[in-house]
């Protein structure tokens, strides 16, 4: 679906134009066209390929989706794949994609499986015509910067969730629930890392050394994107290490709880073993057992059993087993 198609001249918006008029504006000097599509159909991709002269392999990647974040060059055109990461209403991470085709005089973005648009990015660029005058390379930066900036709230939310779980690790009988939440959090972190790590490596192509011509005027801005990605990557690595430590601590707490249960069972087993020992002796019914015919034999036997069991209970209690 077409979101918007706008022509710009020297950083100033000319007008919203129909797709059929794209080629007319591409031929004009100091003019570029910015087109945004969402969940594009086969026909829309085919029309965009004809208008902008896009490579077949790049269009095929955009058509099928589920690509790894990357930056590829096809002649004087850049093909960029970014992952869009957002929380669903059920607090799960939902992954989308945006494919950006950038040429000397055009930018085409194709957004798939995401509810977050880029209208704010376009409005911000139009408010700064002196930057938009840098051309399509700056628009590519603005789109990438918007995607990367949306990773920061995700990282903050993951850190907050991790802190909440850490606060519950030392609660009794919470071991299984904590393990499940930690592994669920680990899957979210891995999903975010899959969006950040490949992109961090790819962005190095856009600043320093040989830079594609379309990005030459915006090289410093892409360096800023790289710095943001590096910060996010460091935060992700820290969260992953902390999750690993939390899992080990949680398993240790489970082992401690099991050990305490084992000690309680052993203590009670010892107490009942003593009672069973005395009862077993007096239950043998030998003929020559003088205490069997003693008038005070029964209460004395019960008192001895109770006293011995009580003494053992007190010792186990002092030892922390009960």
């Amino acid at each position: 679906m077409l979101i918007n198609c706008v022509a710009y001249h020297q950083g100033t918006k000319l007008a919203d134009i129909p797709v059929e008029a794209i080629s007319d504006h591409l031929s004009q000097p100091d003019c570029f066209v910015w087109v945004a599509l969402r969940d594009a159909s086969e026909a829309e991709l085919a029309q965009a390929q004809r208008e902008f002269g896009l490579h077949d392999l790049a269009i095929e990647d955009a058509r099928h989706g589920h690509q790894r974040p990357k930056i590829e060059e096809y002649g004087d055109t850049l093909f960029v794949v970014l992952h869009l990461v957002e929380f669903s209403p059920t607090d799960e991470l939902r992954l989308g994609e945006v494919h950006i085709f950038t040429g000397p005089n055009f930018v085409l973005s194709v957004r798939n499986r995401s509810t977050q648009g880029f209208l704010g990015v376009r409005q911000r660029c139009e408010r700064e015509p002196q930057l938009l005058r840098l051309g399509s390379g700056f628009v590519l930066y603005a789109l990438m910067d918007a995607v990367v900036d949306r990773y920061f709230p995700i990282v903050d939310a993951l850190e907050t969730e991790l802190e909440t779980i850490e606060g519950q690790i030392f609660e009794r009988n919470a071991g299984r629930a904590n393990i499940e939440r930690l592994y669920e959090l680990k899957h979210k972190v891995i999903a975010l890392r899959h969006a950040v790590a490949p992109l961090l490596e790819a962005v190095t192509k856009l600043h320093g050394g040989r830079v594609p011509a379309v990005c030459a005027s915006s090289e410093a801005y892409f360096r800023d994107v790289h710095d943001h990605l590096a910060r996010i990557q460091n935060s992700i690595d820290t969260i992953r290490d902390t999750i690993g430590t939390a899992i080990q601590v949680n398993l240790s707490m489970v082992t401690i709880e099991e050990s305490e249960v084992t000690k309680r069972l052993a203590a009670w087993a010892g107490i009942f073993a003593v009672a069973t020992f005395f009862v077993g002796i007096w239950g043998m019914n030998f003929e020559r057992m003088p205490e069997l015919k003693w008038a005070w034999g029964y209460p004395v036997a019960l008192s001895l059993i109770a006293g011995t069991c009580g003494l053992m209970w007190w010792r186990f209690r002092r030892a922390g087993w009960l």
Side-chain angles (χ1 to χ4, degrees):
M1 180 176 69
L2 178 66
I3 302 299
N4 41 43
C5 178
V6 184
Y8 298 88
H9 181 264
Q10 292 187 349
T12 303
K13 178 178 178 180
L14 291 178
D16 292 286
I17 62 174
V19 177
E20 295 76 11
I22 289 177
S23 56
D24 296 335
H25 289 81
L26 293 180
S27 60
Q28 299 179 14
D30 299 324
C31 183
F32 75 91
V33 177
W34 183 355
V35 181
L37 301 175
R38 187 187 71 185
D39 298 322
S41 64
E42 293 277 351
E44 289 174 325
L45 288 176
Q47 185 177 21
Q49 183 178 14
R50 290 193 299 270
E51 293 290 339
F52 297 118
L54 304 177
H55 198 280
D56 292 337
L57 293 177
I59 287 294
E60 182 179 355
D61 287 345
R63 182 181 297 115
H64 293 103
H66 303 286
Q67 300 294 312
R68 185 173 183 266
K70 60 183 179 179
I71 297 177
E72 296 179 339
E73 292 185 65
Y74 294 94
D76 58 356
T77 300
L78 279 182
F79 175 57
V80 181
V81 178
L82 305 174
H83 281 186
L84 302 173
V85 184
E86 58 192 56
F87 281 109
S88 68
T90 58
D91 202 31
E92 297 179 355
L93 278 189
R94 182 165 51 197
L95 300 179
E97 289 182 18
V98 59
H99 305 96
I100 306 174
F101 300 85
T102 307
N105 53 359
F106 72 88
V107 176
L108 168 65
S109 65
V110 183
R111 175 166 55 93
N112 297 314
R113 307 186 309 280
S114 176
T115 59
Q116 297 181 346
F118 295 100
L119 290 178
V121 178
R122 185 184 293 271
Q123 293 169 359
R124 188 189 70 174
C125 291
E126 291 176 352
R127 289 195 300 266
E128 300 175 315
Q130 72 280 6
L131 296 177
L132 197 56
R133 191 177 292 114
L134 296 175
S136 55
F138 179 79
V139 175
L140 173 62
Y141 152 75
L143 292 172
M144 293 181 66
D145 185 60
V147 172
V148 172
D149 284 347
R150 291 173 185 176
Y151 293 157
F152 283 104
I154 303 294
V155 172
D156 292 340
L158 296 180
E159 289 177 340
T160 300
E161 184 176 353
L162 177 58
E163 291 173 357
T164 301
I165 298 174
E166 284 183 311
Q168 299 174 352
I169 284 181
F170 297 101
E171 294 182 2
R172 299 184 66 85
N173 302 320
R176 182 181 182 87
N178 288 335
I179 285 291
E180 291 177 355
R181 293 181 63 187
L182 285 170
Y183 270 95
E184 182 181 352
L185 178 61
K186 186 176 182 179
H187 291 159
K188 294 179 182 178
V189 173
I190 291 175
L192 182 59
R193 186 177 186 275
H194 287 168
V196 173
L199 185 59
L200 177 62
E201 178 183 354
V203 170
T204 57
K205 300 179 182 179
L206 305 183
H207 68 88
R210 178 193 170 276
V211 176
V214 71
C215 300
S217 59
S218 305
E219 184 176 349
Y221 295 98
F222 290 108
R223 186 181 298 110
D224 182 67
V225 172
H226 183 273
D227 291 341
H228 288 180
L229 286 170
R231 287 170 51 195
I232 295 172
Q233 181 66 34
N234 290 336
S235 298
I236 291 174
D237 291 339
T238 300
I239 294 175
R240 290 182 65 197
D241 293 340
T242 306
I243 289 175
T245 302
I247 290 176
Q248 294 300 321
V249 172
N250 192 77
L251 292 175
S252 299
M253 292 302 300
V254 171
T255 302
I256 291 173
E257 290 180 0
E258 291 177 350
S259 175
E260 291 177 350
V261 172
T262 302
K263 288 192 293 185
R264 290 193 188 96
L265 293 175
W268 284 112
I271 293 172
F272 283 107
V274 171
T276 304
F277 170 75
F278 284 116
V279 172
I281 289 178
W282 286 312
M284 290 187 290
N285 293 325
F286 287 111
E287 184 177 354
R288 297 184 182 278
M289 294 182 68
E291 63 271 21
L292 294 179
K293 296 181 180 181
W294 184 31
W296 297 96
Y298 183 68
V300 169
L302 291 181
S303 299
L304 180 61
I305 293 173
T308 305
C309 290
L311 176 62
M312 293 188 66
W313 179 87
W314 176 73
R315 293 296 301 273
F316 283 128
R317 183 77 172 179
R318 286 193 60 184
W321 284 41
L322 290 175

